[in-house]
Amino acid sequence: MNKKFFIALGGSVVFILLNTIALSYELFFVPFLSAVAVILYFLLFRVDLLIYLMAFVTPFSINFTDTKIDVGLSIPAEIIMLLLTLLFFIRLLYDVKLERKIVLHPISILIYIYLGWMLMTSITSEIPLVSFKFLASKIWFITACYFCVIQLIRNDLKKIITFFNCYAVALGIVIIITSIKFAISGFSKHNMHWIMNPFYNDHTAYGAAIAFFIPLIIALFIVDGKTTWKKVHYLLLTAVLLLGFYFSYCRAAWLSIIAAFSVLVAIKLRIKFSWLFLGLALLGSTLYYFSDDILYKMGRNTQDSSGEFTEHLKSISNISTDASNVERLNRWNSAFGMIQDRPILGWGPGTYQFVYAGYQKSKYKTIITTNFGDGGNAHSEYIGPCAEMGFPGVIIVIVLMITVCSVGIKAYVRAREKLPKTLALFAVIALISYYIHGIMNNFLDTDKLSLPFWSAIAVIVVVDVMSKEKNLKDY
């Protein structure tokens, strides 16, 4: 605590007070200009702090749509991501050189192929303007949350602890706000779908984000919980996450976290990845073989979504009266019709919600179905890309998924020190939770899930490269 510290502290207090007074008098241009000034300072002098700020503001960001120019952004997170992307490409021209090991890493190459095919299908898209906007958002998600995060942690893996903490603490605050609102409403099941607005657009995205961070916080507790206050911090954060996880009433998130920790047990028992994949293939084949019997049983289930835990779990297999489940079948069936018509190039990235209306069938329509087809995406990270980018698109997605898990597990086995070993393992578990959740929903077109998703992959790539170099520092 020297003179500079007290000057910075005093300046921060004055800065906060001035903006608070401006807000009280509804002088909104003052905090807006203040935010711009802070972001520009970080952009020019402290890019690392801007990356941390990006992680912190993402859970608080609110979607803003201008119908006049047909643009929608999550403010301020996507603004920061866009600025980081522009800065990244500008600096590549004169002072930043990406390592060959990063640029030519198998995961990086698959990302180039993924973006390349997205570009191809944007050119052939049914609605090119929508597809190119979608492609642009993917580029700034991946650049800011993958390449910029790699640059942040490449020489100091401990920085990812601060990065994940920034998002987790902000998510914890959102959970507390949401839980208070939910309690005031009397924990009504009718409110559980929207109570997390305006921060998360529905309970499934909210539940998916929490499920993703539960493994990561466990990892941070293991590697960073060395002092009493840090242990208390992570225990409190875990308790808040579990509270939000339960009250999210997101069935897909509940199942995904159970499956992800089952994989963790399998890894700890040293069951080979190929055996896990074979087991999943056999399970899928068995479900397909007995699909008629399974669908018959599911059709007789009339348990709707409920605020009661066991009843809500039972409603997972209700495809006869549960509106959420039947609507999901409606989206999938519509996607299958789209795939049948355009199996190779698809309809174009981001176009599903503008095209699927004509493929809806009356037997799958529910009280939440819209005849205009403006209700959102395909509710699957696999079926959606197949409809929008054809079979090559979904094959690329699946190959990327398998490669990330394989590289992550190998990096975990190869790493010798506690920090990289733990981070690689739990990054894989967090990603698996989302891959499983992705069967039922898709959120990688949003900043809320893209940031943790691509940053977890960045961790795996860095640990993989470091473990191969065999010069890990003593963390």
Side-chain angles (χ1 to χ4, degrees), residues 8 32 55 75-76 78 99 121 144 176 186 202 246 255 258 277 320 375 443 469 471:
F32 174 78
I75 308 294
E78 287 195 69
E99 293 180 75
T121 53
I176 292 170
D202 65 32
Y246 176 80
L255 291 177
I258 292 170
F277 186 74
S320 58
F443 303 113
E469 291 171 344
N471 63 349

Side-chain angles (χ1 to χ4, degrees), residues 182-436:
F182 200 23
I184 292 172
S185 73
F187 297 101
S188 171
K189 72 172 185 177
H190 301 293
N191 297 327
M192 66 186 181
H193 298 285
W194 61 267
I195 202 76
M196 59 291 305
N197 279 324
F199 306 116
Y200 288 80
N201 57 7
D202 65 32
H203 72 121
T204 51
Y206 177 67
I210 297 171
F212 197 99
F213 266 87
I214 288 174
L216 294 181
I217 292 303
I218 292 173
L220 297 188
F221 179 85
I222 293 171
V223 299
D224 192 44
K226 298 176 182 178
T227 61
T228 301
W229 79 266
K230 284 187 176 182
K231 286 184 173 69
V232 171
H233 164 73
Y234 289 120
L235 288 173
L236 286 175
L237 200 50
T238 302
V240 171
L241 288 175
L242 291 174
L243 175 70
F245 187 62
Y246 176 80
F247 284 117
S248 70
Y249 286 105
C250 179
R251 296 163 295 185
W254 292 349
L255 291 177
S256 70
I257 204 70
I258 292 170
F261 277 96
S262 298
V263 173
L264 174 62
V265 172
I267 293 172
K268 286 294 186 179
L269 293 176
R270 298 182 180 274
I271 297 174
K272 291 183 179 179
F273 182 70
S274 57
W275 294 2
L276 288 175
F277 186 74
L278 179 62
L280 290 173
L282 289 173
L283 177 61
S285 301
T286 302
L287 291 174
Y288 179 78
Y289 183 79
F290 292 104
S291 59
D292 290 339
D293 294 331
I294 293 170
L295 288 173
Y296 174 73
K297 291 286 186 182
M298 292 171 71
R300 297 185 65 185
N301 182 2
T302 58
Q303 175 61 60
D304 289 328
S305 300
S306 169
E308 204 278 320
F309 183 76
T310 55
E311 291 180 354
H312 200 57
L313 280 179
K314 288 178 182 178
S315 70
I316 292 173
S317 61
N318 178 5
I319 59 171
S320 58
T321 61
D322 187 281
S324 178
N325 291 344
V326 179
E327 178 61 22
R328 184 170 280 105
L329 290 179
N330 176 42
R331 302 294 179 86
W332 291 354
N333 183 73
S334 300
F336 293 146
M338 293 167 62
I339 293 166
Q340 190 173 12
D341 283 353
R342 297 190 184 182
I344 305 301
L345 294 173
W347 291 79
T351 60
Y352 174 89
Q353 62 182 316
F354 302 102
V355 178
Y356 83 91
Y359 287 89
Q360 296 181 114
K361 293 183 179 179
S362 57
K363 66 178 180 179
Y364 292 118
K365 289 185 177 181
T366 68
I367 58 173
I368 58 177
T369 298
T370 64
N371 292 325
F372 298 102
D374 56 357
N377 53 43
H379 285 291
S380 174
E381 290 290 357
Y382 312 103
I383 299 173
C386 193
E388 294 182 345
M389 298 190 292
F391 282 107
V394 73
I395 289 170
I396 293 168
V397 168
I398 293 172
V399 171
L400 176 60
M401 174 192 75
I402 294 171
T403 303
V404 166
C405 291
S406 177
V407 170
I409 293 171
K410 289 177 181 177
Y412 158 71
V413 173
R414 194 187 305 115
R416 296 175 297 181
E417 302 297 332
K418 183 178 180 180
L419 177 62
K421 198 174 187 71
T422 304
L423 288 175
L425 175 61
F426 283 92
V428 170
I429 300 306
L431 287 164
I432 287 174
S433 78
Y434 186 76
Y435 288 140
I436 294 168

